[in-house]
Amino acid sequence: MDKKVWMGVVIGIAGAVLIAPKVVALLSLDEEEDTWRKMDKMESVDADEDEAEKGLTQLDSSHRADWQANGFPQTHAERERLEQESEAYYKGQDI
């Protein structure tokens, strides 16, 4: 075979070796996203035992500790109450 053909084969194989891990990572990313989507559709496993877990998905339940630590509102009603308080506090102020 010609020297140029061998160089082409070597470069092609090297490129395939370099790209293969990226393809595997992309495929596993899709699987991981599917897992998050599934968790966001299933009810929390602690919903029967803990009143605060009722209405939460498994994904929400796993993030609940972070929400509490950072002071995020836990319900829509609480969020709306905080928004109204904020609007009343800053009403007429240039912020």
Side-chain angles (χ1 to χ4, degrees):
M1 281 193 177
D2 191 36
K3 190 175 184 180
K4 290 182 181 180
V5 173
W6 278 108
M7 281 302 280
V9 169
V10 170
I11 290 173
I13 292 172
V17 168
L18 291 174
I19 290 179
K22 303 277 185 192
V23 171
V24 170
L26 285 174
L27 293 175
S28 67
L29 179 65
D30 288 341
E31 291 174 8
E32 186 175 307
E33 286 177 3
D34 288 342
T35 302
W36 289 114
R37 283 190 201 112
K38 288 176 187 174
M39 285 180 65
D40 201 25
K41 292 179 182 176
M42 293 187 286
E43 185 179 16
S44 170
V45 292
D46 296 328
D48 295 335
E49 301 166 10
D50 187 0
E51 185 69 29
E53 292 280 326
K54 287 188 179 184
L56 295 180
T57 64
Q58 286 185 3
L59 183 61
D60 292 340
S61 179
S62 67
H63 291 294
R64 184 170 173 257
D66 291 334
W67 295 346
Q68 289 177 327
N70 292 316
F72 292 129
Q74 298 295 307
T75 63
H76 290 288
E78 186 179 355
R79 189 187 76 224
E80 290 171 4
R81 181 186 57 78
L82 290 172
E83 286 175 359
Q84 289 173 356
E85 287 178 6
S86 177
E87 288 173 2
Y89 181 80
Y90 291 107
K91 187 174 186 176
Q93 295 183 15
D94 187 24
I95 53 173

